[in-house]
Amino acid sequence: MKSLILTLLYLFKDTLHRWKERPASPLSRVLVSFFLSLCALSFLANYVLSTKLLQDEIRQSGGDLIIAYDVNPDGKPPLETLIQQHLPSLHPCNVLALKQVASATQGKGNYQIVEYGIAAYDQLKELPIDRHPRLLLFGLKQELEQEGPRTVQMNQFSFPIHACHLPEHHVLGKVFPQGLILVPAGTFSSQGLRSGSGTTIYIIQAAEMTSTLISGIENTLANLVRLDQRFTSIRSTAPILRRLDILMGNQAECRAAFSIGIAVIVGILLTALASMEFQQNEYVYTLMKSFGVRPVFLVLNFIMENVFLVGGAFIAAVFCFMKTQKIVLGEFFKLQNTSLSLQDIMPDLTLLGISLFICVLVSSIPIIISANRQIGKVLK
């Protein structure tokens, strides 16, 4: 045990001595690893952020929604109960069922009148339907000088309604971007609209915006409709998301190749420096082997040295990037007012870190070969 401690202590002192005698060796490894890692992170972050912005834009446009229109031309009862009970139990999603019964005008605008039932009440809590059951909801792109009562004209009669803006990113704003009139079910039955008439709209919001989940929900919904032998129009962003998955898959391959390429450059530098330094001290190491020091300690010494230098440079590059990413992404990639968290770039950090570690191990192969040379061939 004492000899082991003395051996490790000698190797540690030898490493410090080499750094002091030849500071260019550790400095070159640190600087090359630092700047290459920083460049890699800046390059990879551009792809990650572009993908994130694209996904957010698709989500804000209703990319996580499946819209089904049940026209009921033959007087069949709507599939509301079946869809609302069974679809969420099969897939992680929320179902909002509304009935589009007519249209009405208010000022210069023409709006669809949509009825909501008791089942949809909980999903409309963001709206002031407790205080104002009848709402004229304006889209975010429309100007509304002041919220308050309005008079809406429908056919030959008018009725009072409360006007307000839709909350930002509300699901109704994605389906009715121009706004809508939202009223309780049965409001216009006394005006000649038959019970059950109109088009039932099912707004299905998936828990995650993935092509697999949305395609699964769409297929289940299509099967329910086909079993009931009725015509229902179904609209979703599944084709767009599938194309996006292909694009992201190709992008992931390019990012992986770039990370591996950076690690290979660092690995070539480490291999060259490690071989040179070992050859310069090979006589001393061979004498240590003749006194019983195992070659594995010599190899581990170089591996730990490179892990310390390259790992420290990589951590410093990550820290520097997180502190300066707004400048880098804003000035060089023209992505203003945007930033990434560690969680956003963690897959790329993991891939780059593993690639660098593998290159450190590969760079020790010449050391393994030299450390296992026969003592007689070195000391002759």
Side-chain angles (χ1 to χ4, degrees), residues 29-41 266 304 306-324 342 345-346 348-350 352-354 356-357:
R29 282 177 278 181
V30 170
L31 292 178
V32 169
S33 301
F34 174 80
F35 284 108
L36 286 179
S37 298
L38 187 59
C39 291
L41 290 175
V266 176
M304 295 305 298
N306 285 332
V307 167
F308 174 76
L309 294 175
V310 176
F314 177 67
I315 293 173
V318 174
F319 179 80
C320 183
F321 171 77
M322 295 305 296
K323 293 297 182 182
T324 62
L342 277 176
I345 60 174
M346 187 55 68
D348 294 290
L349 288 180
T350 303
L352 185 57
I354 292 175
L356 289 173
F357 181 71

Side-chain angles (χ1 to χ4, degrees), residues 360-370:
V360 167
L361 297 180
V362 172
S363 68
S364 65
I365 293 177
I367 307 298
I368 296 174
I369 297 174
S370 300

Side-chain angles (χ1 to χ4, degrees), residues 66-69 79 83 87 90-91 95 202 204 215-227 232-235:
I66 301 99
I67 313 297
Y69 298 90
L79 295 171
I83 292 176
L87 203 58
L90 298 174
H91 304 280
V95 180
Y202 301 100
I204 303 156
S215 297
I217 295 174
E218 188 175 0
N219 292 335
T220 301
L221 188 60
N223 291 332
L224 291 175
V225 171
R226 186 171 61 252
L227 290 174
T232 298
S233 174
I234 302 174
R235 176 167 56 89

Side-chain angles (χ1 to χ4, degrees), residues 9-25:
L9 184 61
Y10 176 81
L11 291 174
F12 177 71
K13 289 183 177 180
D14 177 70
T15 301
L16 295 180
H17 177 73
R18 285 190 288 106
W19 289 0
K20 182 180 178 180
E21 293 294 323
R22 293 183 292 273
S25 175

